[in-house]
């Protein structure tokens, strides 16, 4: 049941710093090891253009916030208007997207993008458009859910049901065959999720594994 949902265009949010707010993409490892990660650079939204001949929309999917429903609606709308379906942007497709932008390919001038970890894509879409001399702007959209409802839904989906190959479970939990997080403990793993997803450039890079990955920081399920 979707309730208390707010569709909002994102301009800019402040980033945050926390001992366990490390990149949830990377697995625990030794400090100094080169691993896929994200830029985590504070995102500064470009000044909105007064008008543009073309507009790209990037839908940022926040887990358990009607994102799948919205992506289906965008795909349906694209089909009805004879547009290309939304290009999926998440950690595995970012490299292809960045390569397309670097080489001026069509995937960097699409009308619709959607996916988790999609924030930051507008920076590359607009930069590529400027190099081509194309009049194109890029805007973000997302769906925000009541945070208590979202965390409870996430806990039931990932922890209790073990969805998406038990995403968010520790190795010990996987061996035991059950997720032992209480709702309160699960909420702690989710505390920085939206801040990270909506305030930092999500483009993947290779960097040193943070030292605090060796600490007892709970993995995030995104």
């Amino acid at each position: 049941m979707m309730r208390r949902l707010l569709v909002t265009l994102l301009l800019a949010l402040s980033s945050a710093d926390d001992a366990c707010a490390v990149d949830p993409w990377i697995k625990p490892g030794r400090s100094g090891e080169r691993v896929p990660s994200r830029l985590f650079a504070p995102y500064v939204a470009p000044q909105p253009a007064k008008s543009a001949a073309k507009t790209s929309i990037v839908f940022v999917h926040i887990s358990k916030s009607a994102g799948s429903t919205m992506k289906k609606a965008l795909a349906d709308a694209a089909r009805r208007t004879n547009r290309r379906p939304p290009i999926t942007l998440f950690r595995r497709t970012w490299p292809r997207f960045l390569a397309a932008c670097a080489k001026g390919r069509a995937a960097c001038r699409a009308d619709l993008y959607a996916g988790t970890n999609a924030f930051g894509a507008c920076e590359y879409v607009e930069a590529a458009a400027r190099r081509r001399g194309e009049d194109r702007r890029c805007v973000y959209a997302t769906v925000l859910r009541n945070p208590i409802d979202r965390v409870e839904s996430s806990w039931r989906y990932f922890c209790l049901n073990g969805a998406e190959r038990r995403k968010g479970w520790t190795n010990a939990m996987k061996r035991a065959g059950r997720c032992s997080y209480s709702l309160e403990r699960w909420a702690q793993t989710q505390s920085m999720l939206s801040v990270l997803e909506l305030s930092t450039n999500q483009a993947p890079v290779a960097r040193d594994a943070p030292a605090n990955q060796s600490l007892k920081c709970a993995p995030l399920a995104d």
Side-chain angles (χ1 to χ4, degrees), residues 129-201:
R130 287 193 297 270
R131 290 195 297 270
R132 295 191 304 272
E134 182 183 16
D135 185 19
R136 176 179 291 273
R137 67 171 182 167
C138 183
V139 297
Y140 293 101
T142 194
V143 175
L144 299 180
R145 184 178 182 181
N146 178 291
I148 296 176
D149 292 346
R150 195 203 72 78
V151 168
E152 182 177 359
S153 176
S154 174
W155 175 66
R156 294 184 182 281
Y157 180 73
F158 289 112
C159 185
L160 297 189
N161 297 335
E164 299 185 25
R165 298 184 179 180
R166 301 176 180 179
K167 182 185 289 187
W169 290 30
T170 64
N171 288 333
M173 290 177 189
K174 291 178 180 179
R175 287 193 296 269
R178 62 181 295 271
C179 176
S180 59
Y181 284 137
S182 65
L183 175 57
E184 292 76 13
R185 183 71 183 97
W186 184 262
Q188 292 175 359
T189 75
Q190 301 283 299
S191 61
M192 297 301 298
L193 177 63
S194 294
V195 174
L196 295 177
E197 300 292 352
L198 303 179
S199 66
T200 56
N201 189 321

Side-chain angles (χ1 to χ4, degrees), residues 73-154:
L74 287 172
D76 290 344
R79 185 173 59 255
R80 289 196 301 270
T81 56
N82 295 317
R83 296 175 184 269
R84 179 177 179 172
I87 291 179
T88 301
L89 264 182
F90 73 119
R91 60 181 178 271
R92 292 194 181 96
T93 60
W94 260 99
R96 293 198 298 272
F97 169 73
L98 292 177
C101 291
K103 297 179 180 180
R105 293 174 179 167
C108 196
R109 52 179 182 270
D111 293 330
L112 295 171
Y113 300 87
T116 54
N117 316 120
F119 199 70
C122 279
E123 177 179 336
Y124 301 96
V125 169
E126 292 190 343
R130 287 193 297 270
R131 290 195 297 270
R132 295 191 304 272
E134 182 183 16
D135 185 19
R136 176 179 291 273
R137 67 171 182 167
C138 183
V139 297
Y140 293 101
T142 194
V143 175
L144 299 180
R145 184 178 182 181
N146 178 291
I148 296 176
D149 292 346
R150 195 203 72 78
V151 168
E152 182 177 359
S153 176
S154 174

